[in-house]
Amino acid sequence: KNEVEQSPQNLTAQEGEFITINCSYSVGISALHWLQQHPGGGIVSLFMLSSGKKKHGRLIATINIQEKHSSLHITASHPRDSAVYICAVIAGGGADGLTFGKGTHLIIQP
Amino acid sequence: EPEVTQTPSHQVTQMGQEVILRCVPISNHLYFYWYRQILGQKVEFLVSFYNNEISEKSEIFDDQFSVERPDGSNFTLKIRSTKLEDSAMYFCASSPSGRVSYEQYFGPGTRLTVT
């Protein structure tokens, strides 16, 4: 069974700071997702990646398959980035469902 | 932009009652999922559904749960006899095609409260 660990659990930063959220998993995967959950509960998919790096606006996600590690970076952070960021993986071997981390609660102060 | 919708947004039911949670996935998507999130805990996978049958299910998805795609648009999760511990946010998701190659698009969730 895959264990997904995220760090930090909570992060408070000032507007404009560069943010890094880390995710580690215990066994090989087919893909890794970064998701954003707002206070109302809704979940939005940010990235799906299986290798390398992806960028969307101020968000960058990287994955190192050998080290079983991924990072989500936010450049020029803004209060509207405040949310819970969740790492989730799909195991190899034909699995469908995502295994989720506990999430990182990010607060960006103006 | 197409989105996954779920109804109702909040359902309150008494222990032992049956509930049906409804989802309308994005129209050209082929894979459908149910997840749940107990308050304060992480999101957990329940079941995936493809080609009108269950593709994968977790150990949470026991005989009390069932899923159905009764028509071309709806995807439902039924809990036959609800327990207090079924209280959670239930998320439906859909994916265009293939198991791992595509993002999953989540609905806004149904908050189920069992009293």
Side-chain angles (χ1 to χ4, degrees), chain B residues 54 61-68 76-80:
Chain B
I54 290 175
F61 193 87
D62 61 22
D63 291 344
Q64 291 298 311
F65 292 91
S66 62
V67 289
E68 194 176 36
T76 62
L77 174 69
K78 182 193 290 186
I79 309 175
R80 288 191 180 82

Side-chain angles (χ1 to χ4, degrees), chain A residues 54-82:
Chain A
K54 285 191 176 179
K55 184 175 189 291
H56 184 246
R58 296 180 294 105
L59 301 179
I60 303 165
T62 64
I63 188 168
N64 185 318
I65 296 294
Q66 286 73 28
E67 294 187 3
K68 297 185 177 62
H69 181 268
S70 176
S71 293
L72 176 69
H73 306 285
I74 305 174
T75 62
S77 59
H78 190 276
R80 65 174 173 267
D81 297 326
S82 299

Side-chain angles (χ1 to χ4, degrees), chain A residues 18-97:
Chain A
F18 182 81
I19 303 299
T20 295
I21 298 170
N22 296 298
C23 174
S24 298
Y25 50 92
S26 56
V27 298
I29 62 169
S30 297
L32 182 143
H33 293 241
W34 281 102
L35 308 158
Q36 182 189 56
Q37 185 170 32
H38 281 282
I43 296 174
V44 174
S45 178
L46 298 174
F47 295 102
M48 192 281 297
L49 62 166
S50 53
S51 65
K53 176 179 174 178
K54 285 191 176 179
K55 184 175 189 291
H56 184 246
R58 296 180 294 105
L59 301 179
I60 303 165
T62 64
I63 188 168
N64 185 318
I65 296 294
Q66 286 73 28
E67 294 187 3
K68 297 185 177 62
H69 181 268
S70 176
S71 293
L72 176 69
H73 306 285
I74 305 174
T75 62
S77 59
H78 190 276
R80 65 174 173 267
D81 297 326
S82 299
V84 177
Y85 291 84
I86 303 172
C87 171
V89 302
I90 295 183
D96 291 334

